[in-house]
Amino acid sequence: MDFKQNINKNKLPKHIAVIMDGNGRWARQRGKERIFGHENGVQAVRETVEAAGELGVRYLTFYAFSTENWCRPKKEIDTLMELLVKAIHNETPELMEKGVKLATIGDVDSLPEACRKELFDAIDKTKNNSRLTVTVAISYSSQWEIVNAVKNIARQVKENKIDPEDIDKKLFQTYLQTHGAPDPDLLIRTSGELRISNFMLWQVAYSELYFTPVLWPDFRKKHLYQAILDYQRRERRFGKT
Ligand code: IPE
Ligand code: IPE
Ligand code: MG
């Protein structure tokens, strides 16, 4: 079946967010170290970016590393960070060619210097692209993001720059790292886990959730098309009748 052809271009999700999960299990199934799974996950990111760009999706967000992932063995973290640096470096020319603007959310200060530098170089190089915005969530957790927002609002209140009575949904959103981008219409999680794992808790309030058993390194264009088709079959009501 040609999934791509069945996609309604007038009903595309504007923003797709992806929890890329299952790299470790993918490697284990092949008798390899977990990092082998992470390495093979890069191709899945590449395909997803390409497919989304070709269709005309405007925002794509990847959950690459959570605040909680810092609790993994040091060796896995170090290799993962090296892989991130390498991938960002290698992919930047492709991002330029495809008109992709790179962005990041998360606690960038906690990243190793080399990683931060590569990331901000790529963000700077791609800043004038506008076809598709790809945001990578690194050292990100939604609770961290929300607590930070509260802290910053509290500071403003203390300095009499914000009246507590003026704090509403709209104002709060401007203190989140995702401000400026629309909330995800579609959230995809791979590997069969049915949870959100501290990802964009505020922003997914009305997102359509799509879970697939496919392990992230196996995720290909056709899987993205399937997710979008599933999304297009749903009726979004936003609390209305
Ligand atoms: C997702 O794959 C990538 C990261 C969280 C960094 P995992 O590494 O969580 O793989 P599994 O879930 O153990 O299979
Ligand atoms: C979620 O995957 C985080 C990322 C994909 C970066 P995890 O593998 O860390 O989530 P849990 O531990 O299964 O909830
Ligand atoms: Mg996992």
Side-chain angles (χ1 to χ4, degrees), residues 19-21 63-66 69 72 189 195 197:
I19 302 177
M20 312 182 277
D21 199 15
Y63 199 10
F65 193 84
S66 74
N69 288 149
R72 293 190 178 193
R189 181 170 189 149
R195 55 178 171 265
S197 301

Side-chain angles (χ1 to χ4, degrees), residues 138-150:
I138 315 177
S139 191
Y140 173 87
S141 94
S142 188
Q143 291 171 342
W144 168 84
E145 180 189 35
I146 290 170
V147 167
N148 250 347
V150 170

Side-chain angles (χ1 to χ4, degrees), residues 20-26 34 38 64-65 69 72 76 80:
M20 312 182 277
D21 199 15
N23 296 354
R25 279 162 281 170
W26 188 90
R34 296 175 52 82
H38 299 316
F65 193 84
N69 288 149
R72 293 190 178 193
E76 181 176 345
L80 202 53

Side-chain angles (χ1 to χ4, degrees), residues 1-9 12 50-56 131 221-226 228-229 232:
M1 188 174 139
D2 190 352
F3 296 114
K4 190 180 181 185
Q5 221 169 5
N6 289 315
I7 291 174
N8 179 351
K9 290 283 184 72
L12 277 180
E50 198 171 286
E54 284 165 2
L55 284 171
R131 190 160 168 229
K221 286 184 177 186
K222 70 164 185 212
H223 298 115
L224 184 76
Y225 301 149
Q226 282 170 339
I228 293 174
L229 283 170
Q232 293 189 332

Side-chain angles (χ1 to χ4, degrees), residues 150-179:
V150 170
K151 244 189 228 168
N152 288 327
I153 293 171
R155 284 193 192 109
Q156 300 281 305
V157 169
K158 204 173 158 192
E159 292 172 21
N160 288 318
K161 287 180 181 149
I162 292 179
D163 178 348
E165 289 313 310
D166 291 337
I167 300 173
D168 58 7
K169 197 167 91 176
K170 214 169 136 214
L171 182 135
F172 191 80
Q173 263 162 356
T174 64
Y175 283 81
L176 294 174
Q177 292 199 312
T178 48
H179 73 92

Side-chain angles (χ1 to χ4, degrees), residues 61 103-108 135-140 144-145 177-178 199-200:
T61 301
T104 189
I105 52 172
D107 183 11
V108 282
T135 302
V136 191
I138 315 177
S139 191
Y140 173 87
W144 168 84
E145 180 189 35
Q177 292 199 312
T178 48
F199 188 50
M200 301 223 267

